[in-house]
Amino acid sequence: MLATDQDTTTNDSLDEPEYTRTIVAGKLKISAKTLVRYLAFGTDYIPALKAYVLDDRPLNGKRILESYIKYLEEIQYLKLDYLPLRVTEILNHKYTLLESD
């Protein structure tokens, strides 16, 4: 990996920016603590987010790929507009269908 600045790196093979949790939280206009909650919550429904969580549930130190920020934005949107049970239903339905395809 090449360091492009202190908070962002670029993966040579993908050329996709990776961001620290602090930078991603700033992009989403949420606290870093809320971002951690979204990551932990999202791993139950979105397989791609499992890369950021260890098997025993604490988060690992990986930087977040730019393309995965869309999942966090989706969680943020749903949590702002729907009750928790409905958020769970929506994510479960959407990502269960994607896994089976």
Side-chain angles (χ1 to χ4, degrees):
M1 287 190 210
L2 301 172
T4 55
D5 65 44
Q6 189 174 10
D7 297 315
T8 307
T9 59
T10 302
N11 188 331
D12 289 334
S13 62
L14 298 176
D15 291 330
E16 182 176 358
E18 299 174 326
Y19 301 98
T20 64
R21 285 186 220 139
T22 305
I23 296 298
V24 174
K27 286 177 174 270
L28 297 175
K29 297 181 176 87
I30 58 175
S31 70
K33 189 174 184 178
T34 300
L35 177 68
V36 168
R37 287 187 198 133
Y38 286 177
L39 280 169
F41 174 78
T43 59
D44 291 335
Y45 309 101
I46 304 170
L49 294 180
K50 290 181 181 179
Y52 302 103
V53 178
L54 301 173
D55 291 336
D56 56 352
R57 298 299 276 175
L59 298 178
N60 60 28
K62 286 187 176 180
R63 292 173 182 255
I64 300 169
L65 290 172
E66 185 171 52
S67 60
Y68 287 10
I69 294 173
K70 68 181 178 189
Y71 297 122
L72 298 166
E73 289 171 335
E74 179 177 21
I75 291 169
Q76 179 184 30
Y77 166 76
L78 291 172
K79 284 191 162 278
L80 289 173
D81 291 338
Y82 296 99
L83 295 172
L85 180 60
R86 184 67 182 136
V87 172
T88 301
E89 290 171 349
I90 291 168
L91 291 174
N92 199 15
H93 179 73
K94 180 177 181 180
Y95 291 101
T96 301
L97 290 176
L98 289 177
E99 282 184 36
S100 63
D101 287 342

